[in-house]
Amino acid sequence: MDTQNTPIHIRLWHRDFWLLAIVNLLMSTIVYMQLSALGNAMTFYDGDGLRTIEQALIISIYGLGIFILGPYCHYLLQRYQRKRVCQLSVAAMALMSIVVSLAASKMHGYPLFVTCLLGMFWYGAFFGLAQMIISSTLVIDITESAQRTEANYTSAWFRRFAIAIGPLLTIVAPVSRIEEPVILWLYMAILLLISIIRIPFKSPDDNGHVFCFDRFIMPQGIHLTLNLLPVTVVLGMSVAMAFHNEIFFIQLALGLALALLAEIFVFVNADLQSEFISGGILITGALLLYIFRSGMPVVEHLAPVLIGIGTGLIGGRMQLFFNKLAHHCQRGTAQSSFFLSWELGIAIGFFLALWLVDFHLLDCIGLVLIVFALLLYHFYTHPWYLKHKNR
């Protein structure tokens, strides 16, 4: 069978799955709101003596932080109540948000750089832990075995829309400055929603190791990671360059919605390569428009739609590839690996955009990256995947 899409099961959409999907959306939305608001705050305070590269490091360091607690995820979930560990991670994210907010509004120079860098690193660490718990464990725990692929796939789509919704809210809502309390209210809403989700009891594994790769990284997924990174780097650069442009994020959300509809109705029985190749071509078209026709109103509306469709198609297909590559009992680990790959690329994109600043140069870099990703996928990754998939 050459397709991997799964049919939609009505029974999947029960109360607890809805709540968990909303939590997933809200948590990622808050992260992108935090990043966008922090970028706006540094612009407002003219960097407070920080160089461009230092500002870029502060915004993007979360992409390294998401890895730091991953090796301990399995132990924490076996040793303590799963829902409680997730709530504590979200609460720690809120605490780091407060620390960074105070530093951004009251500090200058080197103390500001060190405080914000450490704060955002640990912000990313707790975000990574909370997200891995949700994607690798909680979604699977509340779903019947026959529907788990669909559950992971659907939950990830909720999170995917956050990259458009989060920055957009910082523009249209009163959160253009990081110290606004709206973000903290959203953290409280997440904690409340998690508390009312019913998670089945799981007996602890007394033989679990404190440090392990279970629910963290799937080693055989490195080939997929290397092919996904250039795509998400381009997405991250595009988002960071548009932090003040609400039109971009409205159109990006439209593109993601069109990608979701295309996966359901257009690519349902298509060849396995079609989504990645089609998505890459659409992103290439968007970058060419930016390079050669930047500033035209039609380009400012059309290019973000193309980026949204392209990254949505590629993200959905690569997530399913991670699932199909997983060995027995590695479903959760596959989801965490996909999340880490996706988020690392976006963080790298943020760093490049905020460091280099030059839009034309960034679009050219993006074009090189996406062409490289297409060639790598067609000539290496896809043939390799067909030989090594397990489902």
Side-chain angles (χ1 to χ4, degrees):
M1 184 175 180
D2 283 340
T3 59
Q4 296 181 344
N5 297 77
T6 55
I8 296 176
H9 297 88
I10 301 301
R11 292 178 60 193
L12 172 66
W13 296 93
H14 53 78
R15 167 188 174 274
D16 294 316
F17 182 77
W18 267 111
L19 292 175
L20 202 52
I22 293 171
V23 165
N24 209 6
L25 171 64
L26 289 179
M27 187 166 65
S28 293
T29 297
I30 284 177
V31 170
Y32 295 123
M33 288 175 67
Q34 171 86 10
L35 296 170
S36 180
L38 183 57
N40 291 337
M42 289 191 169
T43 301
F44 181 84
Y45 294 117
D46 198 23
D48 278 329
L50 299 181
R51 294 175 295 171
T52 304
I53 192 171
E54 292 172 332
Q55 297 179 43
L57 281 171
I58 289 173
I59 302 296
S60 61
I61 194 65
Y62 87 99
L64 294 180
I66 58 176
F67 289 86
I68 197 68
L69 296 178
Y72 307 100
C73 181
H74 176 77
Y75 170 76
L76 291 172
L77 294 178
Q78 294 296 335
R79 179 68 177 82
Y80 304 102
Q81 187 180 3
R82 300 170 178 211
K83 203 162 65 169
R84 188 61 52 82
V85 176
C86 188
Q87 286 178 304
L88 289 175
S89 299
V90 174
M93 287 174 62
L95 177 60
M96 291 299 103
S97 182
I98 293 172
V99 170
V100 172
S101 173
L102 293 174
S105 60
K106 299 183 181 300
M107 293 183 177
H108 307 275
Y110 185 72
L112 170 65
F113 173 67
V114 173
T115 304
C116 286
L117 192 70
L118 291 175
M120 289 305 296
F121 178 83
W122 284 105
Y123 182 84
F126 293 117
F127 168 55
L129 180 59
Q131 184 58 57
M132 281 185 275
I133 292 171
I134 290 175
S135 61
S136 72
T137 303
L138 298 187
V139 169
I140 294 173
D141 284 349
I142 65 171
T143 310
E144 295 180 9
S145 58
Q147 300 171 355
R148 286 173 179 169
T149 295
E150 183 188 352
N152 287 132
Y153 178 82
T154 304
S155 179
W157 261 108
F158 274 82
R159 181 167 56 83
R160 206 164 288 140
F161 275 101
I163 198 167
I165 296 173
L168 179 62
L169 287 177
T170 63
I171 299 173
V172 302
V175 287
S176 58
R177 301 271 294 280
I178 192 173
E179 58 265 30
E180 297 291 346
V182 174
I183 294 178
L184 294 180
W185 283 107
L186 289 175
Y187 281 119
M188 294 176 64
I190 290 175
L191 291 172
L192 176 62
L193 289 174
I194 294 174
S195 68
I196 61 178
I197 296 174
R198 295 168 296 196
I199 306 297
F201 172 77
K202 299 287 184 179
S203 58
D205 181 7
D206 295 331
N207 297 320
H209 297 285
V210 175
F211 186 99
C212 70
F213 279 3
D214 189 29
R215 307 175 199 265
F216 176 39
I217 286 180
M218 187 174 68
Q220 68 268 31
I222 187 64
H223 303 273
L224 301 180
T225 295
L226 293 176
N227 214 149
L228 182 60
L229 277 178
V231 178
T232 51
V233 168
V234 172
L235 177 60
M237 290 193 300
S238 301
V239 168
M241 286 188 285
F243 272 159
H244 301 283
N245 184 358
E246 66 271 20
I247 293 176
F248 176 89
F249 295 108
I250 292 172
Q251 302 296 66
L252 180 66
L254 174 61
L256 289 169
L258 291 174
L260 179 58
L261 292 174
E263 287 195 339
I264 296 173
F265 297 108
V266 178
F267 292 96
V268 64
N269 290 312
D271 182 82
L272 283 182
Q273 293 193 76
S274 59
E275 284 167 281
F276 196 104
I277 300 299
S278 299
I281 291 173
L282 290 173
I283 298 172
T284 300
L287 294 173
L288 288 173
L289 287 173
Y290 277 136
I291 292 171
F292 294 107
R293 291 292 185 268
S294 180
M296 294 180 62
V298 66
V299 172
E300 300 306 313
H301 285 79
L302 178 60
V305 175
L306 297 179
I307 292 173
I309 298 173
T311 53
L313 291 176
I314 291 173
R317 174 52 60 192
M318 293 298 278
Q319 183 190 7
L320 291 171
F321 278 4
F322 272 96
N323 274 351
K324 301 297 182 179
L325 199 63
H327 297 309
H328 181 64
C329 294
Q330 276 194 321
R331 181 185 298 276
T333 310
Q335 297 308 307
S336 294
S337 297
F338 172 75
F339 157 72
L340 293 169
S341 303
W342 181 272
E343 213 63 45
L344 176 62
I346 290 175
I348 295 172
F350 283 175
F351 174 79
L352 291 174
L354 297 171
W355 173 38
L356 299 176
V357 181
D358 187 330
F359 284 13
H360 183 76
L361 174 61
L362 289 165
D363 289 332
C364 291
I365 292 173
L367 184 61
V368 172
L369 287 173
I370 202 65
V371 170
F372 169 76
L374 281 168
L375 294 174
L376 179 65
Y377 177 79
H378 179 71
F379 290 105
Y380 176 74
T381 306
H382 189 77
W384 178 90
Y385 164 78
L386 291 179
K387 293 179 181 178
H388 294 86
K389 65 177 182 176
N390 289 290
R391 295 179 178 85

